[in-house]
Amino acid sequence: MGPEGWYFSGEGGSLTEDPLHGFKKLKELYLKADPDYTGRYTVPVLWDKKADVLVNNESLEIIRMLYLEFDEFLPAHLREENRPGKGLYPPQLRAEIDVMNEWVYNTVNNGVYKVGFSKSQKAYDENIYPLFASLDRLEEHLSHRKPFLFGDSITEADIRLYTTLARFDVAYHSVFQCNLKSIRHDYPRLHAWLRRLYWDQDQEGPLRAAFYRTTEPNISRYALGYADSRWKIVLESQGPLVVPAGPLVLMEPL
Ligand SMILES: N[C@@H](CCC(=O)N[C@@H](CS)C(=O)NCC(=O)O)C(=O)O
């Protein structure tokens, strides 16, 4: 991120510029879509190339759009309804997935931010215990539902939890002070689940190495990214930015 937010740096797999307009900054895309926009310039962004407009910037909505809204355009064997377990948001599991999404979002996905961006001891104390209570609950959940959160096939619930757990030991534990426990030392089932997703490198298999391909190129930068955000938000850019070095091993072997 630069002073004006995300930009196309050409580093770490990023393009050097926006391939549609040649823009250098994400901000320019937001303003192209709406010149009066005054909010934050956040990622992710879903852009409609034909209408040349920003469609959505909420990750939870975008992931559903990507696997539900375009299904009819795919060859039959790739459609959600024909995938193992009937896809990422199968009709028979929707109610259960929605219930889990709700508490996992509030206490885990968003919970780490509530802890890491807390501006008082009180706010920190109020959020750290619910975060770890939910990790305990997920660890327990995996004792009877496995290998994935809802059985044999991966669902949206796995994807949403993965994004937080892949960052947990390498960033949230140290930078966001989410340090009652770590995934690798205290949660054997969650740790096994995380490594199973991360280390899958089968390009043809059901996961198509998606987790490894999207995590590994950036995992060594997570601590810096979150330290920088916390420095800006909590420390209001005052004093030095110091990034913790550990853990030595970013993701333990399978
Ligand atoms: N509701 C959004 C939040 C997105 C968000 O906060 N993204 C962060 C990075 S994880 C960002 O782009 N921050 C840039 C900024 O706030 O300037 C979502 O989850 O999709």
Side-chain angles (χ1 to χ4, degrees), residues 1 6-7 26 30 40-45 57-59 62:
M1 277 222 283
W6 295 104
Y7 65 100
L26 182 65
Y30 270 84
R40 293 159 61 217
Y41 310 112
T42 58
V43 289
V45 157
N57 69 347
E58 175 49 54
S59 54
I62 293 174

PDB file of all heavy atoms in Angstrom, residues 1 6-7 26 30 40-45 57-59 62:
ATOM      1  N   MET A   1       0.841  -1.214   0.000  1.00  0.00           N
ATOM      2  CA  MET A   1       0.000   0.000   0.000  1.00  0.00           C
ATOM      3  C   MET A   1       0.868   1.253   0.000  1.00  0.00           C
ATOM      4  O   MET A   1       1.861   1.318   0.709  1.00  0.00           O
ATOM      5  CB  MET A   1      -0.875   0.020   1.259  1.00  0.00           C
ATOM      6  CG  MET A   1      -2.133  -0.809   1.116  1.00  0.00           C
ATOM      7  SD  MET A   1      -3.560   0.019   1.820  1.00  0.00           S
ATOM      8  CE  MET A   1      -3.291  -0.265   3.542  1.00  0.00           C
ATOM      9  N   TRP A   6      -3.924   1.124  -2.027  1.00  0.00           N
ATOM     10  CA  TRP A   6      -3.361   0.063  -2.865  1.00  0.00           C
ATOM     11  C   TRP A   6      -2.965   0.606  -4.232  1.00  0.00           C
ATOM     12  O   TRP A   6      -3.664   1.432  -4.808  1.00  0.00           O
ATOM     13  CB  TRP A   6      -4.391  -1.056  -3.065  1.00  0.00           C
ATOM     14  CG  TRP A   6      -4.741  -1.782  -1.805  1.00  0.00           C
ATOM     15  CD1 TRP A   6      -5.889  -1.640  -1.071  1.00  0.00           C
ATOM     16  CD2 TRP A   6      -3.950  -2.754  -1.115  1.00  0.00           C
ATOM     17  NE1 TRP A   6      -5.860  -2.462   0.023  1.00  0.00           N
ATOM     18  CE2 TRP A   6      -4.688  -3.155   0.026  1.00  0.00           C
ATOM     19  CE3 TRP A   6      -2.695  -3.323  -1.350  1.00  0.00           C
ATOM     20  CZ2 TRP A   6      -4.200  -4.106   0.931  1.00  0.00           C
ATOM     21  CZ3 TRP A   6      -2.212  -4.266  -0.444  1.00  0.00           C
ATOM     22  CH2 TRP A   6      -2.963  -4.646   0.670  1.00  0.00           C
ATOM     23  N   TYR A   7      -1.825   0.093  -4.748  1.00  0.00           N
ATOM     24  CA  TYR A   7      -1.418   0.491  -6.097  1.00  0.00           C
ATOM     25  C   TYR A   7      -0.800  -0.710  -6.816  1.00  0.00           C
ATOM     26  O   TYR A   7      -0.458  -1.710  -6.181  1.00  0.00           O
ATOM     27  CB  TYR A   7      -0.452   1.682  -6.064  1.00  0.00           C
ATOM     28  CG  TYR A   7       0.882   1.388  -5.407  1.00  0.00           C
ATOM     29  CD1 TYR A   7       2.019   1.125  -6.177  1.00  0.00           C
ATOM     30  CD2 TYR A   7       1.004   1.359  -4.026  1.00  0.00           C
ATOM     31  CE1 TYR A   7       3.244   0.849  -5.580  1.00  0.00           C
ATOM     32  CE2 TYR A   7       2.217   1.078  -3.421  1.00  0.00           C
ATOM     33  CZ  TYR A   7       3.332   0.828  -4.207  1.00  0.00           C
ATOM     34  OH  TYR A   7       4.537   0.539  -3.607  1.00  0.00           O
ATOM     35  N   LEU A  26      -5.427   1.927  -7.194  1.00  0.00           N
ATOM     36  CA  LEU A  26      -6.790   1.406  -7.067  1.00  0.00           C
ATOM     37  C   LEU A  26      -7.794   2.555  -6.949  1.00  0.00           C
ATOM     38  O   LEU A  26      -8.909   2.494  -7.475  1.00  0.00           O
ATOM     39  CB  LEU A  26      -6.859   0.486  -5.834  1.00  0.00           C
ATOM     40  CG  LEU A  26      -8.200  -0.189  -5.576  1.00  0.00           C
ATOM     41  CD1 LEU A  26      -8.548  -1.165  -6.691  1.00  0.00           C
ATOM     42  CD2 LEU A  26      -8.178  -0.923  -4.230  1.00  0.00           C
ATOM     43  N   TYR A  30     -11.813   3.288  -8.464  1.00  0.00           N
ATOM     44  CA  TYR A  30     -12.995   3.685  -7.692  1.00  0.00           C
ATOM     45  C   TYR A  30     -13.572   4.993  -8.247  1.00  0.00           C
ATOM     46  O   TYR A  30     -14.785   5.134  -8.407  1.00  0.00           O
ATOM     47  CB  TYR A  30     -12.632   3.873  -6.212  1.00  0.00           C
ATOM     48  CG  TYR A  30     -12.766   2.628  -5.355  1.00  0.00           C
ATOM     49  CD1 TYR A  30     -11.745   1.681  -5.290  1.00  0.00           C
ATOM     50  CD2 TYR A  30     -13.904   2.404  -4.587  1.00  0.00           C
ATOM     51  CE1 TYR A  30     -11.847   0.565  -4.480  1.00  0.00           C
ATOM     52  CE2 TYR A  30     -14.027   1.278  -3.772  1.00  0.00           C
ATOM     53  CZ  TYR A  30     -12.991   0.364  -3.718  1.00  0.00           C
ATOM     54  OH  TYR A  30     -13.114  -0.751  -2.914  1.00  0.00           O
ATOM     55  N   ARG A  40     -13.398   4.444   1.590  1.00  0.00           N
ATOM     56  CA  ARG A  40     -12.061   3.838   1.535  1.00  0.00           C
ATOM     57  C   ARG A  40     -11.900   3.099   0.212  1.00  0.00           C
ATOM     58  O   ARG A  40     -12.866   2.591  -0.346  1.00  0.00           O
ATOM     59  CB  ARG A  40     -11.888   2.847   2.694  1.00  0.00           C
ATOM     60  CG  ARG A  40     -11.870   3.508   4.065  1.00  0.00           C
ATOM     61  CD  ARG A  40     -12.223   2.487   5.144  1.00  0.00           C
ATOM     62  NE  ARG A  40     -11.268   1.397   5.189  1.00  0.00           N
ATOM     63  CZ  ARG A  40     -11.589   0.123   5.434  1.00  0.00           C
ATOM     64  NH1 ARG A  40     -12.837  -0.227   5.639  1.00  0.00           N
ATOM     65  NH2 ARG A  40     -10.657  -0.815   5.472  1.00  0.00           N
ATOM     66  N   TYR A  41     -10.662   3.016  -0.235  1.00  0.00           N
ATOM     67  CA  TYR A  41     -10.372   2.308  -1.492  1.00  0.00           C
ATOM     68  C   TYR A  41      -9.868   0.915  -1.140  1.00  0.00           C
ATOM     69  O   TYR A  41      -8.655   0.679  -1.059  1.00  0.00           O
ATOM     70  CB  TYR A  41      -9.333   3.077  -2.308  1.00  0.00           C
ATOM     71  CG  TYR A  41      -9.696   4.540  -2.465  1.00  0.00           C
ATOM     72  CD1 TYR A  41      -8.938   5.537  -1.848  1.00  0.00           C
ATOM     73  CD2 TYR A  41     -10.808   4.911  -3.220  1.00  0.00           C
ATOM     74  CE1 TYR A  41      -9.279   6.875  -1.978  1.00  0.00           C
ATOM     75  CE2 TYR A  41     -11.160   6.249  -3.361  1.00  0.00           C
ATOM     76  CZ  TYR A  41     -10.402   7.225  -2.732  1.00  0.00           C
ATOM     77  OH  TYR A  41     -10.746   8.545  -2.861  1.00  0.00           O
ATOM     78  N   THR A  42     -10.797   0.012  -0.904  1.00  0.00           N
ATOM     79  CA  THR A  42     -10.422  -1.303  -0.384  1.00  0.00           C
ATOM     80  C   THR A  42     -10.370  -2.369  -1.473  1.00  0.00           C
ATOM     81  O   THR A  42     -10.986  -2.248  -2.528  1.00  0.00           O
ATOM     82  CB  THR A  42     -11.442  -1.762   0.683  1.00  0.00           C
ATOM     83  OG1 THR A  42     -12.747  -1.807   0.100  1.00  0.00           O
ATOM     84  CG2 THR A  42     -11.444  -0.825   1.876  1.00  0.00           C
ATOM     85  N   VAL A  43      -9.607  -3.411  -1.192  1.00  0.00           N
ATOM     86  CA  VAL A  43      -9.648  -4.656  -1.963  1.00  0.00           C
ATOM     87  C   VAL A  43     -10.414  -5.676  -1.134  1.00  0.00           C
ATOM     88  O   VAL A  43     -10.428  -5.554   0.088  1.00  0.00           O
ATOM     89  CB  VAL A  43      -8.224  -5.198  -2.261  1.00  0.00           C
ATOM     90  CG1 VAL A  43      -7.516  -4.332  -3.267  1.00  0.00           C
ATOM     91  CG2 VAL A  43      -7.401  -5.370  -0.991  1.00  0.00           C
ATOM     92  N   PRO A  44     -11.027  -6.679  -1.768  1.00  0.00           N
ATOM     93  CA  PRO A  44     -11.070  -6.922  -3.218  1.00  0.00           C
ATOM     94  C   PRO A  44     -12.102  -6.045  -3.923  1.00  0.00           C
ATOM     95  O   PRO A  44     -12.972  -5.472  -3.281  1.00  0.00           O
ATOM     96  CB  PRO A  44     -11.483  -8.391  -3.293  1.00  0.00           C
ATOM     97  CG  PRO A  44     -12.365  -8.583  -2.100  1.00  0.00           C
ATOM     98  CD  PRO A  44     -11.745  -7.725  -1.017  1.00  0.00           C
ATOM     99  N   VAL A  45     -11.968  -6.035  -5.253  1.00  0.00           N
ATOM    100  CA  VAL A  45     -12.913  -5.325  -6.105  1.00  0.00           C
ATOM    101  C   VAL A  45     -13.300  -6.252  -7.254  1.00  0.00           C
ATOM    102  O   VAL A  45     -12.442  -6.917  -7.823  1.00  0.00           O
ATOM    103  CB  VAL A  45     -12.241  -4.053  -6.673  1.00  0.00           C
ATOM    104  CG1 VAL A  45     -12.909  -3.599  -7.946  1.00  0.00           C
ATOM    105  CG2 VAL A  45     -12.235  -2.944  -5.639  1.00  0.00           C
ATOM    106  N   ASN A  57     -17.484  -4.473  -3.827  1.00  0.00           N
ATOM    107  CA  ASN A  57     -16.188  -4.493  -3.125  1.00  0.00           C
ATOM    108  C   ASN A  57     -16.283  -5.202  -1.775  1.00  0.00           C
ATOM    109  O   ASN A  57     -15.480  -4.950  -0.888  1.00  0.00           O
ATOM    110  CB  ASN A  57     -15.627  -3.071  -2.957  1.00  0.00           C
ATOM    111  CG  ASN A  57     -16.445  -2.243  -1.983  1.00  0.00           C
ATOM    112  OD1 ASN A  57     -17.546  -2.622  -1.603  1.00  0.00           O
ATOM    113  ND2 ASN A  57     -15.906  -1.106  -1.573  1.00  0.00           N
ATOM    114  N   GLU A  58     -17.261  -6.078  -1.644  1.00  0.00           N
ATOM    115  CA  GLU A  58     -17.421  -6.825  -0.388  1.00  0.00           C
ATOM    116  C   GLU A  58     -17.070  -8.297  -0.633  1.00  0.00           C
ATOM    117  O   GLU A  58     -17.786  -9.006  -1.338  1.00  0.00           O
ATOM    118  CB  GLU A  58     -18.860  -6.659   0.124  1.00  0.00           C
ATOM    119  CG  GLU A  58     -19.179  -7.470   1.358  1.00  0.00           C
ATOM    120  CD  GLU A  58     -18.141  -7.320   2.450  1.00  0.00           C
ATOM    121  OE1 GLU A  58     -17.844  -6.181   2.849  1.00  0.00           O
ATOM    122  OE2 GLU A  58     -17.609  -8.351   2.891  1.00  0.00           O
ATOM    123  N   SER A  59     -15.974  -8.748  -0.016  1.00  0.00           N
ATOM    124  CA  SER A  59     -15.455 -10.092  -0.318  1.00  0.00           C
ATOM    125  C   SER A  59     -16.493 -11.202  -0.114  1.00  0.00           C
ATOM    126  O   SER A  59     -16.558 -12.154  -0.898  1.00  0.00           O
ATOM    127  CB  SER A  59     -14.220 -10.376   0.518  1.00  0.00           C
ATOM    128  OG  SER A  59     -14.491 -10.191   1.886  1.00  0.00           O
ATOM    129  N   ILE A  62     -18.695 -11.133  -3.059  1.00  0.00           N
ATOM    130  CA  ILE A  62     -17.994 -11.466  -4.306  1.00  0.00           C
ATOM    131  C   ILE A  62     -17.755 -12.969  -4.421  1.00  0.00           C
ATOM    132  O   ILE A  62     -17.966 -13.554  -5.484  1.00  0.00           O
ATOM    133  CB  ILE A  62     -16.653 -10.692  -4.407  1.00  0.00           C
ATOM    134  CG1 ILE A  62     -16.931  -9.195  -4.570  1.00  0.00           C
ATOM    135  CG2 ILE A  62     -15.826 -11.212  -5.582  1.00  0.00           C
ATOM    136  CD1 ILE A  62     -15.681  -8.321  -4.529  1.00  0.00           C
TER     137      ILE A  62
END
